[in-house]
Amino acid sequence: MINSYASSDDAAVAIAGARAGAEVVRTMYGQRLNRIDKGDGDFATAADVEAEKTVLDVIRGARPDDAVLGEEGGQHGAADTVRQWLVDPLCGTLNYAVGSMLVAVNVALRDGAAAVADPFSGEVFFTDGETAWVRREGIDDVLLMPSPATRLVDVNLDPPFPGAPGFRAVDLLTHPEFVERFRPRVVSTTLALAWVAAGKRAAYVTDGGDLSRSVHFAAGIAVCRAAGCVVTGIDGAPIGEAGHGLVVAADNETHGLLMSMMRSRS
């Protein structure tokens, strides 16, 4: 089955990898899983490790010459290669460990195709690098259409907080105009990025450094960009090596509103 993707395009490989990882995550859900301490309060579980192995098997079978950076296994192949896959096998480990289904499996070819799989809804949000779609079992692929209509904004409150004191995500939630215009949601998984692309969320905000090549965010960013979302850092600048955090909005108006609120708090 793995080798059957050798002649597929990169989007098909990303989808296959994300789906394979999602199957592992779904199968192991609810089991008593030992925590693997990674320091600074972070940890992985056996599901993270097994899902990453499964994703890597798909990528290696289809693209044996490509490099891979996995959250759990680190770098495989040359880090400076043109073709490098970024794999987060279980985004939302803390949610998963306490029995919450708000998790995702992220697979992205740097500057190319990407897929974000929701193990429990069965949805796979993906892009070929130009357009973005969602795939559901037994249903034709649907083009992703961002929309601010829900007025729901996900805000990541997990540390670290490199933007402080100039920017504190928690302050945004108490901004009078934010309370008037939006309804906050708090998550710690990039599933929320895919939801912005799909019109399920109006925006997503997180502090951080350069997230453009992070295994946690690369797939979600790629899907959002291809869907036509507005994607910048918390300073409003393009994301990249000098980037600061992430603001992804369904449209320019929503992005502008959030930026004005954030600047008035700094």
CSV table of all heavy atoms in Angstrom, one decimal, residues 77-141:
chain,number,residue,atom,x,y,z
A,77,GLY,N,17.7,12.8,7.0
A,77,GLY,CA,18.2,13.3,5.8
A,77,GLY,C,18.7,14.7,6.0
A,77,GLY,O,18.7,15.3,7.1
A,78,ALA,N,19.3,15.4,5.0
A,78,ALA,CA,19.9,16.7,5.1
A,78,ALA,C,18.9,17.8,5.3
A,78,ALA,O,17.8,17.9,4.6
A,78,ALA,CB,20.7,17.0,3.8
A,79,ALA,N,19.1,18.6,6.4
A,79,ALA,CA,18.2,19.6,6.8
A,79,ALA,C,18.1,20.7,5.7
A,79,ALA,O,17.1,21.4,5.6
A,79,ALA,CB,18.6,20.2,8.1
A,80,ASP,N,19.1,20.9,4.9
A,80,ASP,CA,19.1,22.0,3.9
A,80,ASP,C,18.7,21.6,2.5
A,80,ASP,O,18.8,22.3,1.6
A,80,ASP,CB,20.5,22.6,3.8
A,80,ASP,CG,21.6,21.6,3.4
A,80,ASP,OD1,21.3,20.4,3.4
A,80,ASP,OD2,22.7,22.1,3.2
A,81,THR,N,18.1,20.4,2.4
A,81,THR,CA,17.6,19.9,1.1
A,81,THR,C,16.5,20.7,0.7
A,81,THR,O,15.7,21.3,1.5
A,81,THR,CB,17.3,18.4,1.2
A,81,THR,OG1,16.9,17.9,-0.1
A,81,THR,CG2,16.1,18.2,2.1
A,82,VAL,N,16.3,20.7,-0.6
A,82,VAL,CA,15.2,21.5,-1.2
A,82,VAL,C,13.8,20.9,-0.8
A,82,VAL,O,12.9,21.6,-0.5
A,82,VAL,CB,15.3,21.6,-2.8
A,82,VAL,CG1,14.0,22.2,-3.4
A,82,VAL,CG2,16.5,22.3,-3.2
A,83,ARG,N,13.8,19.6,-0.8
A,83,ARG,CA,12.5,18.9,-0.4
A,83,ARG,C,12.6,18.3,1.0
A,83,ARG,O,13.3,17.3,1.2
A,83,ARG,CB,12.2,17.8,-1.5
A,83,ARG,CG,11.9,18.3,-2.8
A,83,ARG,CD,11.6,17.2,-3.8
A,83,ARG,NE,10.5,16.3,-3.4
A,83,ARG,CZ,9.2,16.5,-3.6
A,83,ARG,NH1,8.8,17.5,-4.3
A,83,ARG,NH2,8.4,15.6,-3.1
A,84,GLN,N,11.9,18.9,1.9
A,84,GLN,CA,11.8,18.5,3.3
A,84,GLN,C,10.4,18.4,3.7
A,84,GLN,O,9.6,19.4,3.6
A,84,GLN,CB,12.6,19.4,4.2
A,84,GLN,CG,12.6,18.9,5.6
A,84,GLN,CD,13.3,19.9,6.6
A,84,GLN,OE1,13.1,21.1,6.5
A,84,GLN,NE2,14.2,19.4,7.4
A,85,TRP,N,10.0,17.3,4.3
A,85,TRP,CA,8.7,17.1,4.9
A,85,TRP,C,8.7,17.5,6.3
A,85,TRP,O,9.6,17.1,7.1
A,85,TRP,CB,8.2,15.7,4.7
A,85,TRP,CG,7.9,15.3,3.2
A,85,TRP,CD1,8.9,14.9,2.3
A,85,TRP,CD2,6.7,15.4,2.5
A,85,TRP,NE1,8.3,14.7,1.1
A,85,TRP,CE2,7.0,15.0,1.2
A,85,TRP,CE3,5.4,15.7,2.8
A,85,TRP,CZ2,6.0,14.9,0.2
A,85,TRP,CZ3,4.4,15.7,1.9
A,85,TRP,CH2,4.7,15.3,0.5
A,86,LEU,N,7.7,18.2,6.8
A,86,LEU,CA,7.5,18.5,8.2
A,86,LEU,C,6.3,17.8,8.8
A,86,LEU,O,5.2,17.9,8.3
A,86,LEU,CB,7.3,20.0,8.3
A,86,LEU,CG,8.4,20.9,7.7
A,86,LEU,CD1,7.9,22.4,7.7
A,86,LEU,CD2,9.7,20.7,8.3
A,87,VAL,N,6.6,17.0,9.8
A,87,VAL,CA,5.5,16.1,10.4
A,87,VAL,C,5.3,16.3,11.8
A,87,VAL,O,6.2,16.2,12.7
A,87,VAL,CB,5.9,14.6,10.1
A,87,VAL,CG1,4.9,13.7,10.8
A,87,VAL,CG2,6.1,14.3,8.7
A,88,ASP,N,4.0,16.6,12.2
A,88,ASP,CA,3.6,16.7,13.6
A,88,ASP,C,2.5,15.6,13.7
A,88,ASP,O,1.4,15.7,13.2
A,88,ASP,CB,3.0,18.0,13.9
A,88,ASP,CG,2.6,18.1,15.3
A,88,ASP,OD1,2.7,17.1,16.1
A,88,ASP,OD2,2.2,19.2,15.8
A,89,PRO,N,2.9,14.4,14.3
A,89,PRO,CA,2.0,13.3,14.2
A,89,PRO,C,0.8,13.3,15.1
A,89,PRO,O,-0.2,12.6,14.9
A,89,PRO,CB,2.9,12.1,14.7
A,89,PRO,CG,3.9,12.8,15.6
A,89,PRO,CD,4.2,14.2,15.0
A,90,LEU,N,0.8,14.2,16.1
A,90,LEU,CA,-0.3,14.4,17.0
A,90,LEU,C,-0.3,15.8,17.6
A,90,LEU,O,0.3,16.0,18.6
A,90,LEU,CB,-0.3,13.3,18.1
A,90,LEU,CG,-1.6,12.9,18.7
A,90,LEU,CD1,-1.5,11.8,19.7
A,90,LEU,CD2,-2.4,14.0,19.4
A,91,CYS,N,-0.9,16.7,16.9
A,91,CYS,CA,-0.9,18.1,17.3
A,91,CYS,C,-2.1,18.2,18.3
A,91,CYS,O,-3.2,18.1,17.9
A,91,CYS,CB,-1.1,19.0,16.1
A,91,CYS,SG,-1.0,20.8,16.6
A,92,GLY,N,-1.7,18.5,19.6
A,92,GLY,CA,-2.8,18.5,20.6
A,92,GLY,C,-2.6,17.4,21.6
A,92,GLY,O,-3.6,16.8,22.0
A,93,THR,N,-1.4,17.0,21.9
A,93,THR,CA,-1.1,15.8,22.7
A,93,THR,C,-1.7,16.0,24.1
A,93,THR,O,-2.3,15.0,24.6
A,93,THR,CB,0.4,15.6,22.9
A,93,THR,OG1,1.0,15.4,21.6
A,93,THR,CG2,0.7,14.5,23.8
A,94,LEU,N,-1.7,17.2,24.7
A,94,LEU,CA,-2.3,17.3,26.0
A,94,LEU,C,-3.8,17.1,25.9
A,94,LEU,O,-4.4,16.4,26.8
A,94,LEU,CB,-2.0,18.7,26.5
A,94,LEU,CG,-2.6,19.0,27.9
A,94,LEU,CD1,-2.1,18.0,29.0
A,94,LEU,CD2,-2.3,20.5,28.3
A,95,ASN,N,-4.5,17.6,24.9
A,95,ASN,CA,-5.9,17.3,24.7
A,95,ASN,C,-6.1,15.8,24.7
A,95,ASN,O,-7.0,15.2,25.3
A,95,ASN,CB,-6.4,17.9,23.4
A,95,ASN,CG,-6.6,19.4,23.6
A,95,ASN,OD1,-6.7,19.9,24.7
A,95,ASN,ND2,-6.7,20.1,22.4
A,96,TYR,N,-5.3,15.1,23.8
A,96,TYR,CA,-5.4,13.7,23.6
A,96,TYR,C,-5.3,12.9,24.9
A,96,TYR,O,-6.0,11.9,25.2
A,96,TYR,CB,-4.4,13.3,22.5
A,96,TYR,CG,-4.5,11.9,22.0
A,96,TYR,CD1,-5.5,11.5,21.1
A,96,TYR,CD2,-3.6,10.9,22.5
A,96,TYR,CE1,-5.5,10.2,20.6
A,96,TYR,CE2,-3.7,9.6,22.0
A,96,TYR,CZ,-4.6,9.2,21.0
A,96,TYR,OH,-4.7,8.0,20.6
A,97,ALA,N,-4.3,13.3,25.7
A,97,ALA,CA,-3.9,12.5,26.9
A,97,ALA,C,-5.0,12.6,27.9
A,97,ALA,O,-5.1,11.7,28.8
A,97,ALA,CB,-2.6,13.1,27.5
A,98,VAL,N,-5.8,13.6,27.9
A,98,VAL,CA,-6.9,13.8,28.9
A,98,VAL,C,-8.3,13.4,28.3
A,98,VAL,O,-9.3,13.7,28.9
A,98,VAL,CB,-7.0,15.2,29.5
A,98,VAL,CG1,-5.7,15.5,30.2
A,98,VAL,CG2,-7.2,16.2,28.4
A,99,GLY,N,-8.3,12.8,27.1
A,99,GLY,CA,-9.5,12.3,26.5
A,99,GLY,C,-10.3,13.3,25.7
A,99,GLY,O,-11.5,13.1,25.5
A,100,SER,N,-9.6,14.4,25.2
A,100,SER,CA,-10.3,15.4,24.4
A,100,SER,C,-9.9,15.1,22.9
A,100,SER,O,-8.8,14.8,22.6
A,100,SER,CB,-9.9,16.8,24.7
A,100,SER,OG,-10.4,17.7,23.7
A,101,MET,N,-10.9,15.2,22.0
A,101,MET,CA,-10.7,14.8,20.6
A,101,MET,C,-10.2,16.0,19.8
A,101,MET,O,-10.2,15.8,18.5
A,101,MET,CB,-12.0,14.2,20.0
A,101,MET,CG,-12.4,12.9,20.7
A,101,MET,SD,-13.9,12.2,19.9
A,101,MET,CE,-14.0,10.7,20.8
A,102,LEU,N,-9.9,17.1,20.3
A,102,LEU,CA,-9.4,18.2,19.6
A,102,LEU,C,-7.9,18.1,19.3
A,102,LEU,O,-7.0,18.6,19.9
A,102,LEU,CB,-9.6,19.5,20.3
A,102,LEU,CG,-11.1,20.0,20.5
A,102,LEU,CD1,-11.2,21.2,21.4
A,102,LEU,CD2,-11.7,20.3,19.1
A,103,VAL,N,-7.6,17.3,18.2
A,103,VAL,CA,-6.3,17.0,17.8
A,103,VAL,C,-6.2,16.9,16.3
A,103,VAL,O,-7.2,16.9,15.6
A,103,VAL,CB,-5.8,15.7,18.4
A,103,VAL,CG1,-5.8,15.7,19.9
A,103,VAL,CG2,-6.6,14.5,17.9
A,104,ALA,N,-5.0,16.9,15.8
A,104,ALA,CA,-4.8,16.8,14.3
A,104,ALA,C,-3.5,16.1,14.0
A,104,ALA,O,-2.6,16.1,14.9
A,104,ALA,CB,-4.8,18.2,13.7
A,105,VAL,N,-3.4,15.7,12.8
A,105,VAL,CA,-2.1,15.1,12.3
A,105,VAL,C,-1.7,16.0,11.1
A,105,VAL,O,-2.5,16.2,10.2
A,105,VAL,CB,-2.3,13.7,11.8
A,105,VAL,CG1,-1.0,13.1,11.2
A,105,VAL,CG2,-2.7,12.8,13.0
A,106,ASN,N,-0.5,16.6,11.2
A,106,ASN,CA,0.0,17.6,10.2
A,106,ASN,C,1.1,17.0,9.4
A,106,ASN,O,2.1,16.6,9.9
A,106,ASN,CB,0.4,18.8,10.9
A,106,ASN,CG,-0.7,19.5,11.8
A,106,ASN,OD1,-1.8,19.3,11.5
A,106,ASN,ND2,-0.3,20.2,12.8
A,107,VAL,N,1.0,17.1,8.1
A,107,VAL,CA,2.0,16.7,7.2
A,107,VAL,C,2.2,17.8,6.1
A,107,VAL,O,1.2,18.1,5.4
A,107,VAL,CB,1.7,15.3,6.5
A,107,VAL,CG1,2.8,14.9,5.5
A,107,VAL,CG2,1.5,14.2,7.5
A,108,ALA,N,3.4,18.3,6.0
A,108,ALA,CA,3.6,19.4,5.0
A,108,ALA,C,5.0,19.2,4.3
A,108,ALA,O,6.0,18.9,4.9
A,108,ALA,CB,3.6,20.7,5.7
A,109,LEU,N,5.0,19.4,3.0
A,109,LEU,CA,6.2,19.5,2.2
A,109,LEU,C,6.5,21.0,2.2
A,109,LEU,O,5.7,21.8,1.9
A,109,LEU,CB,6.0,19.0,0.8
A,109,LEU,CG,7.2,19.2,-0.2
A,109,LEU,CD1,8.4,18.3,0.3
A,109,LEU,CD2,6.8,18.8,-1.6
A,110,ARG,N,7.7,21.3,2.7
A,110,ARG,CA,8.1,22.7,2.8
A,110,ARG,C,7.9,23.5,1.5
A,110,ARG,O,8.4,23.0,0.5
A,110,ARG,CB,9.6,22.8,3.3
A,110,ARG,CG,10.0,24.2,3.7
A,110,ARG,CD,11.4,24.2,4.3
A,110,ARG,NE,12.4,23.8,3.2
A,110,ARG,CZ,13.6,23.4,3.5
A,110,ARG,NH1,14.0,23.3,4.7
A,110,ARG,NH2,14.4,23.2,2.5
A,111,ASP,N,7.1,24.5,1.6
A,111,ASP,CA,6.8,25.4,0.5
A,111,ASP,C,6.0,24.6,-0.6
A,111,ASP,O,6.1,24.9,-1.8
A,111,ASP,CB,8.0,26.0,-0.1
A,111,ASP,CG,8.8,26.8,0.9
A,111,ASP,OD1,8.2,27.5,1.7
A,111,ASP,OD2,10.1,26.8,0.8
A,112,GLY,N,5.2,23.6,-0.2
A,112,GLY,CA,4.5,22.8,-1.2
A,112,GLY,C,3.2,22.3,-0.7
A,112,GLY,O,2.5,23.0,0.1
A,113,ALA,N,2.9,21.0,-1.0
A,113,ALA,CA,1.6,20.4,-0.6
A,113,ALA,C,1.6,20.2,0.9
A,113,ALA,O,2.6,20.1,1.6
A,113,ALA,CB,1.5,19.1,-1.3
A,114,ALA,N,0.4,20.0,1.4
A,114,ALA,CA,0.2,19.8,2.9
A,114,ALA,C,-1.1,19.2,3.2
A,114,ALA,O,-2.1,19.4,2.4
A,114,ALA,CB,0.4,21.1,3.7
A,115,ALA,N,-1.3,18.6,4.3
A,115,ALA,CA,-2.5,18.0,4.7
A,115,ALA,C,-2.6,18.1,6.3
A,115,ALA,O,-1.7,17.8,7.0
A,115,ALA,CB,-2.7,16.6,4.3
A,116,VAL,N,-3.8,18.4,6.7
A,116,VAL,CA,-4.2,18.4,8.2
A,116,VAL,C,-5.4,17.4,8.3
A,116,VAL,O,-6.4,17.7,7.8
A,116,VAL,CB,-4.6,19.8,8.7
A,116,VAL,CG1,-5.0,19.7,10.1
A,116,VAL,CG2,-3.4,20.7,8.5
A,117,ALA,N,-5.2,16.3,9.1
A,117,ALA,CA,-6.2,15.3,9.2
A,117,ALA,C,-6.8,15.4,10.6
A,117,ALA,O,-6.1,15.5,11.6
A,117,ALA,CB,-5.6,13.9,9.0
A,118,ASP,N,-8.1,15.4,10.7
A,118,ASP,CA,-8.8,15.3,12.0
A,118,ASP,C,-9.2,13.8,12.2
A,118,ASP,O,-10.0,13.3,11.5
A,118,ASP,CB,-10.1,16.1,11.9
A,118,ASP,CG,-10.9,16.1,13.2
A,118,ASP,OD1,-10.7,15.2,14.0
A,118,ASP,OD2,-11.7,17.1,13.4
A,119,PRO,N,-8.5,13.2,13.1
A,119,PRO,CA,-8.7,11.7,13.3
A,119,PRO,C,-10.1,11.3,13.6
A,119,PRO,O,-10.6,10.2,13.4
A,119,PRO,CB,-7.8,11.3,14.4
A,119,PRO,CG,-6.7,12.4,14.5
A,119,PRO,CD,-7.5,13.7,14.1
A,120,PHE,N,-10.9,12.2,14.2
A,120,PHE,CA,-12.2,11.9,14.8
A,120,PHE,C,-13.4,12.3,13.9
A,120,PHE,O,-14.4,11.7,13.9
A,120,PHE,CB,-12.3,12.4,16.2
A,120,PHE,CG,-11.3,11.8,17.1
A,120,PHE,CD1,-10.2,12.5,17.5
A,120,PHE,CD2,-11.3,10.5,17.5
A,120,PHE,CE1,-9.2,12.0,18.3
A,120,PHE,CE2,-10.4,9.9,18.3
A,120,PHE,CZ,-9.3,10.7,18.7
A,121,SER,N,-13.2,13.4,13.2
A,121,SER,CA,-14.3,13.8,12.2
A,121,SER,C,-14.1,13.0,10.9
A,121,SER,O,-15.0,12.9,10.1
A,121,SER,CB,-14.3,15.3,12.0
A,121,SER,OG,-13.2,15.6,11.2
A,122,GLY,N,-12.9,12.6,10.6
A,122,GLY,CA,-12.5,12.0,9.4
A,122,GLY,C,-12.2,13.0,8.3
A,122,GLY,O,-12.0,12.6,7.1
A,123,GLU,N,-12.2,14.2,8.6
A,123,GLU,CA,-11.9,15.3,7.6
A,123,GLU,C,-10.4,15.4,7.4
A,123,GLU,O,-9.6,15.3,8.3
A,123,GLU,CB,-12.5,16.6,8.1
A,123,GLU,CG,-14.0,16.7,8.1
A,123,GLU,CD,-14.5,18.0,8.7
A,123,GLU,OE1,-13.9,18.4,9.8
A,123,GLU,OE2,-15.4,18.7,8.1
A,124,VAL,N,-10.1,15.6,6.1
A,124,VAL,CA,-8.7,15.9,5.8
A,124,VAL,C,-8.7,17.2,5.0
A,124,VAL,O,-9.3,17.3,3.9
A,124,VAL,CB,-8.0,14.8,4.9
A,124,VAL,CG1,-6.6,15.2,4.6
A,124,VAL,CG2,-8.1,13.5,5.6
A,125,PHE,N,-8.0,18.2,5.5
A,125,PHE,CA,-7.9,19.5,4.9
A,125,PHE,C,-6.5,19.5,4.2
A,125,PHE,O,-5.5,19.2,4.8
A,125,PHE,CB,-7.9,20.6,5.9
A,125,PHE,CG,-9.2,20.6,6.8
A,125,PHE,CD1,-9.1,19.9,8.0
A,125,PHE,CD2,-10.3,21.3,6.5
A,125,PHE,CE1,-10.2,19.8,8.8
A,125,PHE,CE2,-11.4,21.2,7.3
A,125,PHE,CZ,-11.4,20.5,8.5
A,126,PHE,N,-6.5,19.8,2.9
A,126,PHE,CA,-5.3,19.7,2.1
A,126,PHE,C,-5.1,20.7,1.0
A,126,PHE,O,-6.1,21.3,0.6
A,126,PHE,CB,-5.2,18.3,1.5
A,126,PHE,CG,-6.2,18.0,0.4
A,126,PHE,CD1,-5.8,18.1,-0.9
A,126,PHE,CD2,-7.5,17.5,0.7
A,126,PHE,CE1,-6.7,17.9,-1.9
A,126,PHE,CE2,-8.4,17.3,-0.3
A,126,PHE,CZ,-8.0,17.4,-1.6
A,127,THR,N,-3.9,20.9,0.6
A,127,THR,CA,-3.6,21.8,-0.5
A,127,THR,C,-2.5,21.2,-1.4
A,127,THR,O,-1.6,20.4,-0.9
A,127,THR,CB,-3.1,23.2,0.0
A,127,THR,OG1,-2.8,24.0,-1.1
A,127,THR,CG2,-1.9,23.0,0.9
A,128,ASP,N,-2.6,21.5,-2.7
A,128,ASP,CA,-1.5,21.1,-3.6
A,128,ASP,C,-0.5,22.2,-3.7
A,128,ASP,O,0.4,22.2,-4.5
A,128,ASP,CB,-2.1,20.8,-5.0
A,128,ASP,CG,-2.9,21.9,-5.6
A,128,ASP,OD1,-3.0,23.0,-5.0
A,128,ASP,OD2,-3.5,21.7,-6.7
A,129,GLY,N,-0.7,23.3,-2.9
A,129,GLY,CA,0.2,24.5,-2.9
A,129,GLY,C,-0.4,25.6,-3.6
A,129,GLY,O,0.1,26.7,-3.6
A,130,GLU,N,-1.6,25.4,-4.3
A,130,GLU,CA,-2.3,26.4,-5.0
A,130,GLU,C,-3.7,26.6,-4.6
A,130,GLU,O,-4.2,27.8,-4.4
A,130,GLU,CB,-2.2,26.2,-6.5
A,130,GLU,CG,-0.8,26.1,-7.1
A,130,GLU,CD,-0.8,25.9,-8.6
A,130,GLU,OE1,-1.9,25.7,-9.2
A,130,GLU,OE2,0.3,25.8,-9.2
A,131,THR,N,-4.4,25.5,-4.4
A,131,THR,CA,-5.8,25.6,-3.9
A,131,THR,C,-5.9,24.7,-2.7
A,131,THR,O,-5.1,23.8,-2.5
A,131,THR,CB,-6.8,25.2,-5.0
A,131,THR,OG1,-6.5,23.9,-5.5
A,131,THR,CG2,-6.8,26.2,-6.2
A,132,ALA,N,-7.0,24.9,-2.0
A,132,ALA,CA,-7.2,24.1,-0.7
A,132,ALA,C,-8.6,23.5,-0.7
A,132,ALA,O,-9.6,24.1,-1.1
A,132,ALA,CB,-7.0,25.0,0.5
A,133,TRP,N,-8.6,22.2,-0.2
A,133,TRP,CA,-9.9,21.5,-0.2
A,133,TRP,C,-10.0,20.7,1.1
A,133,TRP,O,-9.1,20.6,1.9
A,133,TRP,CB,-9.8,20.4,-1.4
A,133,TRP,CG,-9.5,21.0,-2.7
A,133,TRP,CD1,-8.3,21.4,-3.2
A,133,TRP,CD2,-10.4,21.2,-3.8
A,133,TRP,NE1,-8.4,21.9,-4.5
A,133,TRP,CE2,-9.7,21.8,-4.9
A,133,TRP,CE3,-11.8,21.0,-3.9
A,133,TRP,CZ2,-10.3,22.1,-6.1
A,133,TRP,CZ3,-12.4,21.3,-5.1
A,133,TRP,CH2,-11.6,21.8,-6.2
A,134,VAL,N,-11.2,20.2,1.3
A,134,VAL,CA,-11.5,19.3,2.4
A,134,VAL,C,-12.1,18.0,1.8
A,134,VAL,O,-12.9,18.0,0.9
A,134,VAL,CB,-12.4,19.9,3.5
A,134,VAL,CG1,-13.8,20.2,2.9
A,134,VAL,CG2,-12.6,18.9,4.7
A,135,ARG,N,-11.6,16.9,2.3
A,135,ARG,CA,-12.0,15.6,1.9
A,135,ARG,C,-12.7,14.8,3.0
A,135,ARG,O,-12.1,14.7,4.1
A,135,ARG,CB,-10.8,14.7,1.4
A,135,ARG,CG,-11.1,13.3,0.9
A,135,ARG,CD,-9.9,12.7,0.2
A,135,ARG,NE,-9.6,13.4,-1.0
A,135,ARG,CZ,-8.6,13.1,-1.8
A,135,ARG,NH1,-7.8,12.1,-1.5
A,135,ARG,NH2,-8.3,13.8,-2.9
A,136,ARG,N,-13.9,14.3,2.7
A,136,ARG,CA,-14.6,13.5,3.7
A,136,ARG,C,-15.0,12.2,3.1
A,136,ARG,O,-15.2,12.1,1.9
A,136,ARG,CB,-15.9,14.3,4.2
A,136,ARG,CG,-15.7,15.6,4.8
A,136,ARG,CD,-17.0,16.3,5.1
A,136,ARG,NE,-16.8,17.6,5.7
A,136,ARG,CZ,-16.8,18.8,5.0
A,136,ARG,NH1,-16.9,18.7,3.7
A,136,ARG,NH2,-16.6,19.9,5.6
A,137,GLU,N,-15.0,11.2,3.9
A,137,GLU,CA,-15.3,9.8,3.4
A,137,GLU,C,-16.6,9.8,2.7
A,137,GLU,O,-17.7,10.2,3.2
A,137,GLU,CB,-15.3,8.9,4.6
A,137,GLU,CG,-15.2,7.4,4.2
A,137,GLU,CD,-13.9,7.0,3.7
A,137,GLU,OE1,-12.9,7.6,4.2
A,137,GLU,OE2,-13.8,6.2,2.7
A,138,GLY,N,-16.5,9.3,1.4
A,138,GLY,CA,-17.7,9.1,0.6
A,138,GLY,C,-18.3,10.3,0.0
A,138,GLY,O,-19.4,10.3,-0.6
A,139,ILE,N,-17.6,11.5,0.2
A,139,ILE,CA,-18.1,12.7,-0.4
A,139,ILE,C,-17.0,13.4,-1.3
A,139,ILE,O,-15.8,13.3,-1.0
A,139,ILE,CB,-18.5,13.7,0.8
A,139,ILE,CG1,-19.5,13.1,1.7
A,139,ILE,CG2,-18.9,15.1,0.2
A,139,ILE,CD1,-19.9,14.0,2.9
A,140,ASP,N,-17.4,14.0,-2.4
A,140,ASP,CA,-16.5,14.6,-3.3
A,140,ASP,C,-15.7,15.7,-2.5
A,140,ASP,O,-16.3,16.4,-1.6
A,140,ASP,CB,-17.2,15.2,-4.5
A,140,ASP,CG,-17.7,14.1,-5.4
A,140,ASP,OD1,-17.2,13.0,-5.4
A,140,ASP,OD2,-18.6,14.5,-6.2
A,141,ASP,N,-14.5,16.0,-2.9
A,141,ASP,CA,-13.7,17.0,-2.3
A,141,ASP,C,-14.4,18.4,-2.5
A,141,ASP,O,-15.0,18.7,-3.5
A,141,ASP,CB,-12.3,17.1,-3.0
A,141,ASP,CG,-11.5,15.9,-2.7
A,141,ASP,OD1,-11.8,15.1,-1.8
A,141,ASP,OD2,-10.4,15.8,-3.4
